[in-house]
Amino acid sequence: MKENNDCKTDIKSMTLEELTAEIAALGEKPFRAGQLYQWMHQKLARDYDEMTNLPKLLRETLRAQYGYTALTLVERRVSKLDGTEKYLFGLADGNVIESVLMRYQFGNSVCISSQAGCRMGCRFCASTIGGLTRNLLPSEMLDQIYAIQRLTGERVSHVVVMGTGEPLDNYDYLLRFLKLLTQEKGLHISQRNITVSTCGLTERIRALADEKLQITLALSLHAPSQEKRQKLMPVANKYDLGGVLDACRYYFKQTGRRVTFEYSLVSGENASEEDARMLARLLEGMNCHINLIPVNPVKERSYVQPERREILAFKNVLEKCGKTVTIRREMGRDIAGACGQLRKGYMEQSGQAKL
Ligand code: SAH
C-alpha cells in the first residue's frame, strides 16, 4: 500500500495479523502489536509520538520504516439547521477530500470518500468533473472517520461510503477498509451499520456478494430503462441494466441483505409518473428499498429538481405498486451544495484545476 508520496509501507492499513508478523520480524514482543493496533484504531493516535507506552526506540524504528497517514483539517462547516458538518481534509500529498457527519436519532453517521476524484462521469455529479486523481488508501478512508470522531468527541456508529469516488473501483482497498473498520480491536462498527454505494460495476457487485458481509449495498439506479440510464450515467454503456439488477439479486441471495436503490430525480429526464411506473415494473418482485434524491443542482450542469408535487406523485406511484420508498431528507442545506462541490470549490479557489 504505497499510494501516497512517501513510499514506505502504510502501517495503518495493516490487519492485526499482518502487524503481528511485522512486529515479530522486528524482534519485538508480540503484545507490542496489540498495543500499536490499539493506538492506531481505538485511541486514534495521529502520530507515533502519542503512543506513550511503546518504547521510544521502537517508535523511532517504526517511524523510519512505516508511513503513518493523518489528515489535516482544511475546512469545517457546521449547519445551523440540523447539526450536519462538512469537512474538507488534506492528504499527505496535497490532495483534498470531503467527508460529512450527519447526526440522527440512531447515532452519528459519517459519509466518506473512497477516491480523490472519480472517473465514472455521472452527468449530474460534481465529484467526477475533474476526473480521478487516485485511490484512497484503506487508512485514508479510516482517517476520515477517526478525525471526525476525534474532533467532535462523539462516537461514530454508522458509515456510508457515498462521498467522492466509486468504492468498487477501489475494490481491494475498500475490502481492507471494511475489515479494519469492523475489527473488534478497532472501532468495531457493526457491518449492518455500513452502506456501500455503487454506480453498478456488475462483476464487483458479484464479488462483494461472495464475501457474504452484512453491509448494505446501495445501487445508484437513477433511471427506469437502459436507454435513459445511458444518458445520465456513462458507466451504463459498459454495464447493461439487466446485468446490474441480476447482480443485485445475487447480492440479496448471498447475503440476505435488502438492496437500496438510489434514484436522483431530475426534472424532464427521469421524474415523470410514467418513469415511476416503469421503475416499479423494473423492480417487480425484488425485495428492495427505493431512496429518492431530488437532484442537487451543480453549477456546471443544467439539471434541476422536479417540483415538490411531482416528487410526491412519483413516490405515490411506487407506493401503490407496493414499493418501500423514502425521499432523502436534505441535510446541511446551508453549508454546501451537491456532493463534491466543497472540494471542487476549494481546488478552483486555490488555483488547482486538478489535484
Ligand atoms: N460512486 C458511488 C458513490 C458516490 S455518489 C455511486 O455512484 O453510488 C453517492 C450518491 O449520490 C450516488 O447515488 C450518486 O449518483 C448521487 N449523486 C451524485 N451527485 C448528485 C447530485 N448532484 N444530486 C443528487 N444525487 C447525486
Side-chain angles (χ1 to χ4, degrees):
M1 258 144 292
K2 291 168 181 173
E3 203 72 47
N4 53 5
N5 291 358
D6 77 55
C7 40
K8 292 180 212 158
T9 304
D10 173 27
I11 198 162
K12 215 189 285 176
S13 292
M14 283 185 202
T15 62
L16 183 55
E17 296 72 39
E18 288 166 348
L19 200 58
T20 306
E22 293 280 331
I23 288 291
L26 290 176
E28 293 286 336
K29 301 220 171 64
F31 75 93
R32 295 291 182 205
Q35 284 181 318
L36 180 55
Y37 195 89
Q38 192 184 35
W39 274 113
M40 293 192 286
H41 300 286
Q42 274 180 345
K43 298 183 186 167
L44 315 183
R46 282 180 50 85
D47 190 85
Y48 294 115
D49 287 339
E50 291 181 26
M51 306 180 183
T52 43
N53 63 355
L54 294 187
K56 201 146 190 276
L57 192 61
L58 174 57
R59 279 186 266 154
E60 291 316 316
T61 308
L62 293 172
R63 192 189 308 284
Q65 298 198 13
Y66 302 96
Y68 197 97
T69 59
L71 304 176
T72 52
L73 182 63
V74 177
E75 195 178 334
R76 178 182 186 178
R77 290 190 192 177
V78 183
S79 166
K80 291 189 185 66
L81 302 175
D82 53 30
T84 294
E85 301 189 9
K86 278 224 170 191
Y87 292 85
L88 201 58
F89 290 120
L91 304 173
D93 61 1
N95 275 296
V96 289
I97 54 169
E98 231 178 283
S99 325
V100 187
L101 165 70
M102 290 157 291
R103 293 188 168 89
Y104 294 105
Q105 299 280 337
F106 56 74
N108 282 2
S109 178
V110 169
C111 172
I112 64 151
S113 297
S114 55
Q115 297 179 313
C118 182
R119 60 186 179 131
M120 297 297 135
C122 297
R123 301 271 182 248
F124 44 79
C125 179
S127 295
T128 201
I129 292 172
L132 174 67
T133 305
R134 71 167 171 88
N135 282 327
L136 296 188
L137 292 164
S139 58
E140 291 169 329
M141 292 187 245
L142 291 169
D143 279 342
Q144 298 170 60
I145 302 155
Y146 293 179
I148 290 175
Q149 184 154 312
R150 269 182 76 122
L151 285 163
T152 59
E154 295 169 35
R155 198 178 106 80
V156 174
S157 57
H158 291 66
V159 172
V160 295
V161 189
M162 274 192 194
T164 300
E166 168 49 47
L168 300 191
D169 189 36
N170 186 11
Y171 186 76
D172 293 342
Y173 285 179
L174 175 82
L175 278 193
R176 186 174 273 270
F177 156 77
L178 293 173
K179 194 166 178 180
L180 295 165
L181 183 63
T182 53
Q183 232 283 346
E184 202 183 332
K185 295 200 160 68
L187 282 195
H188 198 193
I189 292 189
S190 159
Q191 288 184 10
R192 289 172 173 266
N193 292 356
I194 301 172
T195 299
V196 171
S197 177
T198 177
C199 63
L201 310 184
T202 306
E203 73 278 8
R204 296 271 167 80
I205 294 176
R206 288 181 173 270
L208 187 64
D210 289 334
E211 293 289 330
K212 302 204 168 162
L213 302 174
Q214 283 298 295
I215 60 174
T216 299
L217 178 74
L219 182 92
S220 296
L221 187 57
H222 304 322
S225 67
Q226 169 66 9
E227 205 191 347
K228 285 204 172 189
R229 197 161 187 264
Q230 270 169 306
K231 275 175 68 184
L232 292 171
M233 305 174 73
V235 70
N237 294 319
K238 182 159 178 211
Y239 299 101
D240 79 275
L241 188 50
V244 175
L245 292 179
D246 278 347
C248 291
R249 287 187 194 95
Y250 184 69
Y251 190 86
F252 180 70
K253 179 170 162 269
Q254 290 297 81
T255 64
R257 300 288 293 162
R258 191 174 71 158
V259 173
T260 296
F261 290 105
E262 291 160 281
Y263 195 103
S264 296
L265 289 164
V266 186
S267 181
E269 298 281 338
N270 64 1
S272 71
E273 289 188 38
E274 181 49 31
D275 289 320
R277 280 189 287 274
M278 271 169 80
L279 180 61
R281 277 198 297 276
L282 187 70
L283 302 180
E284 207 173 283
M286 268 183 100
N287 192 349
C288 63
H289 176 96
I290 303 169
N291 198 206
L292 300 175
I293 317 163
V295 75
N296 222 322
V298 173
K299 74 173 189 309
E300 290 78 5
R301 306 279 187 256
S302 55
Y303 296 127
V304 288
Q305 292 186 0
E307 308 251 330
R308 190 75 193 161
R309 67 174 168 78
E310 289 174 85
I311 297 172
L312 293 175
F314 195 95
K315 178 169 184 260
N316 200 15
V317 170
L318 291 172
E319 280 175 343
K320 280 210 174 112
C321 297
K323 294 286 158 210
T324 321
V325 192
T326 48
I327 299 175
R328 186 183 290 172
R329 195 152 61 93
E330 258 185 277
M331 304 278 282
R333 186 203 271 268
D334 53 331
I335 48 172
C339 334
Q341 290 219 38
L342 195 57
R343 172 176 186 266
K344 197 165 172 300
Y346 173 82
M347 280 161 35
E348 283 165 0
Q349 226 180 45
S350 58
Q352 302 180 58
K354 191 179 172 191
L355 276 175

